[in-house]
Amino acid sequence: MLEKLRLRKPLDQKVAVGDMITYQTTSFIIINILDVGLASWGKESIFAVYTCLVQQLNSPNLSENYTTTQTELAYELNEQRNISRVGDIIYDENTGIWVQVNAILAIRYEDEKIYVKYEFDPIPEWSPKEISKLQDKRRLQLMKLVKHEQKR
């Protein structure tokens, strides 16, 4: 299961795809960084704010049952800023999964509305094998093995 989370980190702290985080006692893995910005807290504290697409560990893969889809959405004329662009990652409320806009296939204006026909791909979730491999790699980075000297 995928979710969008906003992370606030000091500027000297690295954030990368594959990082594991804990949010409200649940473990997630960052699978995409969607946006980054700077914010300040007081006069001296500047930090980075990351908007990330994260996958909850040990959750069902909701996207595996979906394939490339086309749909037409209607917008009011004053909603032009809400029209998704190619490459945007958005939450599809009908299916409950995250999708990426592959293409805008058609646009038409009718009855004071804008109709946009999109092509979407579901965002693939990482397999348990990929996550396990990443967890093993992370454990090796955190653990230091010390060679035991044998006495003679």
Side-chain angles (χ1 to χ4, degrees), residues 9-23:
K9 299 285 184 182
L11 294 178
D12 62 348
Q13 191 171 4
K14 177 183 155 189
V15 173
V17 169
D19 285 355
M20 297 185 70
I21 60 170
T22 302
Y23 177 73

Side-chain angles (χ1 to χ4, degrees), residues 7 13 25 29 35 46-47 50 56 67-68 77 82 89 96 103 114 117 129 135 138 142 149-152:
L7 307 174
Q13 191 171 4
T25 70
I29 185 167
D35 190 27
I46 297 176
F47 52 88
Y50 301 92
Q56 183 178 341
T67 185
T68 301
L77 292 177
N82 296 340
I89 295 175
I114 305 168
K117 186 173 183 179
K129 184 177 178 181
Q135 286 175 317
R138 184 170 185 245
L142 297 175
E149 292 183 30
Q150 294 180 352
K151 292 186 179 182
R152 292 186 181 175

Side-chain angles (χ1 to χ4, degrees), residues 3-135:
E3 292 187 35
K4 184 163 67 168
L5 291 181
R6 192 165 277 172
L7 307 174
R8 185 173 70 189
K9 299 285 184 182
L11 294 178
D12 62 348
Q13 191 171 4
K14 177 183 155 189
V15 173
V17 169
D19 285 355
M20 297 185 70
I21 60 170
T22 302
Y23 177 73
Q24 296 182 347
T25 70
T26 305
S27 295
F28 295 93
I29 185 167
I30 297 174
I31 65 166
N32 203 326
I33 299 172
L34 304 174
D35 190 27
V36 64
L38 295 176
S40 62
W41 190 276
K43 292 183 180 181
E44 304 278 327
S45 298
I46 297 176
F47 52 88
V49 178
Y50 301 92
T51 304
C52 300
L53 195 61
V54 297
Q55 180 176 336
Q56 183 178 341
L57 297 183
N58 304 318
S59 65
N61 184 350
L62 302 178
S63 67
E64 70 183 348
N65 298 324
Y66 295 93
T67 185
T68 301
T69 306
Q70 294 180 5
T71 190
E72 185 174 73
L73 300 176
Y75 299 91
E76 299 294 329
L77 292 177
N78 62 352
E79 294 181 308
Q80 280 184 302
R81 291 184 180 169
N82 296 340
I83 296 174
S84 297
R85 296 183 173 139
V86 173
D88 284 356
I89 295 175
I90 56 176
Y91 183 73
D92 183 351
E93 293 178 11
N94 294 332
T95 60
I97 64 168
W98 288 85
V99 296
Q100 185 167 25
V101 178
N102 286 341
I104 295 175
L105 302 173
I107 299 175
R108 63 185 171 88
Y109 294 85
E110 185 178 306
D111 298 328
E112 307 270 333
K113 290 192 177 188
I114 305 168
Y115 293 88
V116 181
K117 186 173 183 179
Y118 295 103
E119 180 181 271
F120 299 104
D121 262 342
I123 299 295
E125 297 187 29
W126 289 19
S127 70
K129 184 177 178 181
E130 289 173 304
I131 291 172
S132 178
K133 185 177 177 182
L134 183 72
Q135 286 175 317

